[in-house]
């Protein structure tokens, strides 16, 4: 029991210290999950829009800034309905927001570009 007390006396302040140091540097561990990696890679590439996607953007009055800053950044990839292993360009289904999705986007992520294929308003 004495060893456990000494262990916790060192562990808890150590965790707090590491948390504050990493937080101050702006580090985060969220970028390691598959959803975050796919979204980060997608946002780093050039966007191409299909004709149907452009038409839906205009109909729903969604501009490119809202698309990238909100929908793509905060969206959730549905890996069950995506084909992440497809070669050469995997395709993904993204829903936004994560809870009670209102929009659904399908896109292909190639080596240099991302082609946004469809945009649907769910509710």
């Amino acid at each position: 029991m004495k060893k456990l007390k000494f262990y916790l006396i060192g562990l808890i302040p150590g965790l707090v210290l590491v948390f504050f140091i990493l937080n101050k540097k702006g580090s985060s561990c969220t970028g390691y999950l598959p959803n975050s990696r796919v979204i980060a890679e997608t946002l780093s590439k050039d966007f191409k829009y299909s004709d149907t996607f452009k038409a839906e953007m205009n109909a729903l009055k969604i501009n490119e800034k809202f698309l990238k800053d909100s929908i793509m950044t905060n969206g959730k990839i549905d890996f069950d309905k995506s084909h992440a292993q497809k070669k050469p360009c995997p395709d993904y289904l993204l829903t936004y927001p994560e809870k009670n999705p209102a929009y659904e986007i399908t896109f292909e992520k190639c080596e240099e570009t991302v082609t946004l294929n469809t945009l649907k308003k769910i509710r």
Side-chain angles (χ1 to χ4, degrees), residues 97-122:
E98 195 169 326
K99 294 181 181 176
N100 300 323
Y103 297 104
E104 192 175 84
I105 294 175
T106 59
F107 63 93
E108 288 184 338
K109 183 176 64 86
C110 295
E111 196 70 33
E112 299 291 324
T113 62
V114 172
T115 305
L116 297 157
N117 296 323
T118 62
L119 170 65
K120 295 178 187 171
K121 184 166 177 82
I122 299 171

Side-chain angles (χ1 to χ4, degrees), residues 65-84:
K65 181 173 177 31
F66 179 72
L67 176 72
K68 287 184 178 179
D69 293 346
S70 293
I71 296 177
M72 295 298 285
T73 304
N74 300 319
K76 173 94 168 104
I77 303 289
D78 186 348
F79 286 101
D80 292 335
K81 296 179 182 174
S82 300
H83 303 99

Side-chain angles (χ1 to χ4, degrees), residues 2-117:
K2 197 173 193 180
K3 289 180 183 180
L4 182 63
K5 286 181 188 177
F6 283 123
Y7 176 75
L8 290 176
I9 288 172
L11 179 70
I12 292 171
L15 287 174
V16 170
L17 186 66
V18 168
F19 173 75
F20 284 114
I21 290 171
L22 289 179
N23 198 23
K24 196 174 219 178
K25 290 184 177 185
S27 301
S28 73
C29 296
T30 60
Y32 296 108
L33 299 174
N35 189 67
S36 300
R37 284 197 318 241
V38 170
I39 289 173
E41 287 176 18
T42 301
L43 291 171
S44 70
K45 298 179 186 294
D46 292 330
F47 278 46
K48 289 184 179 178
Y49 303 100
S50 69
D51 292 334
T52 57
F53 193 90
K54 285 181 190 177
E56 278 298 317
M57 273 181 70
N58 290 334
L60 297 171
K61 295 180 176 68
I62 295 175
N63 61 14
E64 190 172 348
K65 181 173 177 31
F66 179 72
L67 176 72
K68 287 184 178 179
D69 293 346
S70 293
I71 296 177
M72 295 298 285
T73 304
N74 300 319
K76 173 94 168 104
I77 303 289
D78 186 348
F79 286 101
D80 292 335
K81 296 179 182 174
S82 300
H83 303 99
Q85 303 302 321
K86 184 178 155 190
K87 298 289 181 191
C89 300
D91 60 82
Y92 297 96
L93 176 81
L94 180 132
T95 56
Y96 171 81
E98 195 169 326
K99 294 181 181 176
N100 300 323
Y103 297 104
E104 192 175 84
I105 294 175
T106 59
F107 63 93
E108 288 184 338
K109 183 176 64 86
C110 295
E111 196 70 33
E112 299 291 324
T113 62
V114 172
T115 305
L116 297 157
N117 296 323

